């Protein structure tokens, strides 16, 4: 009896989920990243559809007080300024760092009317947002810092983002990359940070510019930014999916 009830409840939930999923899918098919068919990525679709369909798109990630700021652990990722870090090494980055990033300019390309390069000063003229947020790494640690940067929305608008734009890809000098959708790109807390805890962004935290996307896990926050490419098709420059890193990691 109990078993039967359980089963029918489960069936009801499943039917509910399926029809909700179908509804959301038909409504948001255009918004969903086309990762279907890839077994390793099937969980992504569910998380994405559930979060995008059921949660408020403008909800802000928790912001903290100055007294909550913690230290950041030293991560052992490759330093793009160090030839010993092999694949992560970038001669261009090493030269920029030797000159204290004076010649740095972020390239903004793709589905924008005015592709161009922005120095950090150019970006500062587009506005600033400061937020104290928690960074959560997939490896299990988290840390709180104050970030100041230009809202990504301001940069995309300045570059004349086209109506065909659907995703924004970020590339670091160390060849690391990630992409996000338009909802996260225009989220008010999504910023290109040049300042951490009131100081120029330190080298190991991604100088001179890094992405802060507070609605997702730490690995989406591309450091050592070199290039932003707006695309009309789903593009995932992220770590190989076989490593098990989801494209969408909403928190
Ligand atoms: N360019 C670049 N960005 C990156 C990474 C990287 O290896 N290269 N690692 C990511 C991961 S896994 C984490 S947890 C954070 C670490 O940021 P932190 O070094 O400021 O603590 O950066 C993210 N951004
Ligand atoms: Mo991480």
């Amino acid at each position: 009896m109990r078993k039967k009830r359980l089963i029918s409840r489960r069936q009801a939930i499943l039917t509910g989920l399926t029809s909700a999923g179908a509804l959301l899918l038909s409504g948001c098919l255009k918004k969903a990243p086309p990762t279907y068919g890839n077994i390793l990525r099937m969980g992504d679709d569910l998380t994405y559809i559930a979060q995008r369909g059921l949660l408020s798109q403008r909800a802000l990630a928790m912001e903290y007080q100055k007294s909550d700021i913690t230290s950041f652990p030293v991560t052992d990722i490759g330093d793009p300024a160090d030839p010993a870090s092999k694949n992560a090494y970038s001669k261009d980055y090493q030269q920029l760092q030797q000159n204290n990033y004076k010649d740095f300019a972020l390239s903004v390309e793709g589905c924008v009317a005015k592709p161009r390069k922005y120095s950090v000063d150019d970006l500062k003229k587009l506005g600033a947002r400061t937020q104290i947020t928690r960074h959560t790494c997939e490896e299990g640690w988290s840390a709180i810092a104050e970030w100041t940067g230009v809202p990504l929305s301001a940069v995309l608008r300045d570059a004349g983002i086209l109506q065909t734009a659907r995703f924004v890809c970020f590339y670091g000098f160390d060849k690391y990359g990630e992409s996000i959708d338009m909802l996260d790109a225009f989220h008010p807390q999504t910023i290109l940070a040049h300042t951490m805890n009131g100081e120029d962004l330190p080298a190991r935290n991604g100088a001179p510019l890094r992405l802060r996307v507070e609605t997702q896990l730490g690995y989406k926050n591309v450091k050592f930014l070199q290039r932003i490419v707006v695309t009309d098709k789903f593009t995932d420059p992220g770590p190989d999916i076989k490593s098990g890193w989801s494209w969408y990691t909403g928190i």
Side-chain angles (χ1 to χ4, degrees):
M1 184 62 195
R2 188 169 153 70
K3 200 171 171 200
K4 202 167 160 214
R5 246 210 341 265
L6 265 180
I7 289 174
S8 56
R9 199 166 151 242
R10 204 174 136 232
Q11 271 168 349
I13 292 173
L14 279 177
T15 325
L17 265 183
T18 321
S19 45
L23 231 155
L24 285 168
L25 264 177
S26 58
C28 326
L29 197 56
K30 282 196 142 167
K31 279 190 225 145
T35 52
Y36 318 114
N38 186 323
I39 300 243
L40 287 170
R41 279 277 162 96
M42 272 162 73
D44 263 35
D45 294 342
L46 266 183
T47 322
Y48 187 81
I49 290 165
Q51 289 222 358
R52 286 288 178 253
L54 305 175
L55 303 179
S56 161
Q57 310 305 332
R58 306 298 288 176
L60 292 183
M62 171 116 160
E63 293 196 10
Y64 296 80
Q65 307 294 314
K66 276 204 195 289
S67 55
D68 298 321
I69 291 174
T70 67
S71 62
F72 260 60
V74 179
T75 50
D76 60 355
I77 62 149
D79 175 353
D82 180 3
S85 59
K86 299 192 180 78
N87 195 32
Y89 171 65
S90 152
K91 193 164 195 269
D92 289 344
Y93 183 82
Q94 188 187 26
Q95 281 168 356
L96 284 174
Q97 194 181 74
Q98 278 162 1
N99 208 5
N100 203 20
Y101 310 107
K102 208 171 54 59
D103 305 315
F104 168 79
L106 173 78
S107 178
V108 179
E109 310 160 22
C111 299
V112 291
K114 299 169 283 177
R116 60 164 280 200
K117 290 190 163 195
Y118 293 85
S119 69
V120 172
D121 282 341
D122 293 334
L123 293 173
K124 284 181 177 170
K125 285 184 198 129
L126 297 178
R129 188 181 202 281
T130 295
Q131 58 207 31
I132 303 177
T133 51
R134 180 190 295 274
H135 176 100
T136 305
C137 170
E138 79 295 345
E139 286 178 350
W141 57 268
S142 71
I144 296 174
E146 181 190 73
W147 309 98
T148 303
V150 57
L152 178 63
S153 59
V155 182
L156 294 176
R157 283 201 186 96
D158 187 76
I161 186 162
L162 300 178
Q163 279 192 356
T164 50
R166 289 190 45 212
F167 297 94
V168 185
C169 305
F170 302 85
Y171 298 90
F173 280 96
D174 60 350
K175 303 173 199 78
Y176 188 93
E178 276 295 347
S179 63
I180 59 175
D181 67 9
M182 285 301 145
L183 290 171
D184 276 342
F186 279 84
H187 188 280
Q189 287 169 319
T190 300
I191 63 173
L192 305 180
H194 44 68
T195 303
M196 179 184 186
N197 299 329
E199 313 267 346
D200 285 351
L201 188 63
R204 71 177 169 90
N205 298 104
L209 196 69
R210 81 177 294 170
L211 173 66
R212 289 300 311 165
V213 48
E214 309 294 356
T215 47
Q216 295 206 46
L217 273 184
Y219 63 79
K220 300 297 283 189
N221 297 258
V222 180
K223 310 199 289 187
F224 321 112
L225 276 179
Q226 179 178 29
R227 214 155 66 90
I228 290 185
V229 184
V230 182
T231 63
D232 56 2
K233 287 189 193 64
F234 178 65
T235 311
D236 183 5
D240 193 310
I241 56 165
K242 289 192 216 80
S243 66
W245 294 31
S246 300
W247 175 76
Y248 185 74
T249 63
I251 48 175

